[in-house]
Amino acid sequence: MKSTKIDPKFIGQANPRVGLIALASDFMIEKDFINVIKNRKIRVAIVGCGRISKNHFSSLEKHQDNIQLISICETNRTVLSDHEKKYNIKGYLDLSNMLEKEDLDMAIICTPSGMHAEQTELCAKHGVSVMTEKPMATRWSDGLRMVKACDDEGVQLFVVKQNRRNKTLQLLKKEGMTQFESLVLNLT
């Protein structure tokens, strides 16, 4: 990773060779993308077909012009079979097996949080970038392992932290803060 002093006039300007830019005080940290995907769809797999995965399946359908769901991985045979039929997709019971057999750009990890570190390390070893649900990890050391594994293998690690569908935030947006505060005060 390269760190350089940045002139404030360049803050917010695009740099086509840089994949990730984080500004901290007057320093810029930049990391080059190892694999830039052009002229084809991004090939992804979903790992874990539980409750949260439905949001990812829905998003993939909305963005099917740019993203292709290649496979799914689920340890529950019944759930796996249901999803294979529903999405007409190849399913795997074992993540290692899927990573060895499929040509993937990214794995979307929707499993319980305690499993994220091991699964991220495995994906990184296979050269597959990772998008993981929050929380990223249940222990600090696991989070560090995830970052290190992805850095060492030159793949990207993304953590989903969106709250657009959070019912409380939707209520705040719809009703405004003062009405929400009134509701909370009346409930307590």
Side-chain angles (χ1 to χ4, degrees):
M1 189 171 288
K2 178 175 114 181
S3 179
T4 56
K5 189 98 164 144
I6 185 169
D7 185 326
K9 70 181 178 190
F10 295 114
I11 293 175
Q13 292 189 6
N15 181 338
R17 88 173 174 79
V18 174
L20 173 67
I21 300 176
L23 296 171
S25 115
D26 61 343
F27 288 93
M28 177 176 69
I29 301 167
E30 52 183 55
K31 182 175 182 179
D32 293 336
F33 274 118
I34 302 302
N35 299 312
V36 176
I37 299 168
K38 294 181 179 179
N39 303 320
R40 69 168 174 82
K41 294 181 180 184
I42 299 168
R43 297 181 304 261
V44 302
I46 291 182
V47 181
C49 296
R51 181 184 55 84
I52 198 67
S53 70
K54 72 181 186 305
N55 296 337
H56 293 280
F57 283 110
S58 174
S59 292
L60 292 174
E61 286 176 7
K62 288 177 189 171
H63 298 284
Q64 62 187 329
D65 290 343
N66 299 308
I67 302 172
Q68 180 181 6
L69 179 61
I70 300 295
S71 59
I72 56 175
C73 182
E74 170 59 51
T75 57
N76 180 311
R77 286 183 191 273
T78 304
V79 173
L80 178 64
S81 178
D82 291 346
H83 281 76
E84 283 177 309
K85 290 173 190 164
K86 182 175 181 177
Y87 296 101
N88 191 29
I89 197 80
K90 174 78 173 144
Y92 294 87
L93 288 166
D94 179 71
L95 179 58
S96 294
N97 190 24
M98 181 181 75
L99 292 168
E100 289 169 13
K101 292 185 176 178
E102 300 294 348
D103 183 17
L104 301 170
D105 298 309
M106 180 172 64
I108 302 170
I109 299 181
C110 301
T111 56
S113 302
M115 302 171 72
H116 291 179
E118 183 178 330
Q119 292 170 334
T120 296
E121 288 177 316
L122 188 57
C123 289
K125 285 179 186 172
H126 283 85
V128 176
S129 291
V130 173
M131 177 186 295
T132 184
E133 269 295 332
K134 65 180 188 284
M136 174 182 174
T138 55
R139 294 182 300 219
W140 176 256
S141 60
D142 286 347
L144 293 176
R145 282 176 41 211
M146 293 167 71
V147 171
K148 182 175 179 354
C150 290
D151 280 349
D152 288 350
E153 298 299 331
V155 298
Q156 304 299 310
L157 173 61
F158 308 91
V159 181
V160 175
K161 295 187 67 93
Q162 66 87 15
N163 276 305
R164 281 188 321 236
R165 295 190 176 138
N166 180 300
K167 291 190 186 306
T168 303
L169 293 178
Q170 286 178 343
L171 179 63
L172 279 170
K173 187 175 181 180
K174 182 179 177 185
E175 302 297 329
M177 184 60 126
T178 54
Q179 289 179 349
F180 179 75
E181 287 173 339
S182 175
L183 174 67
V184 170
L185 291 174
N186 288 331
L187 292 175
T188 56

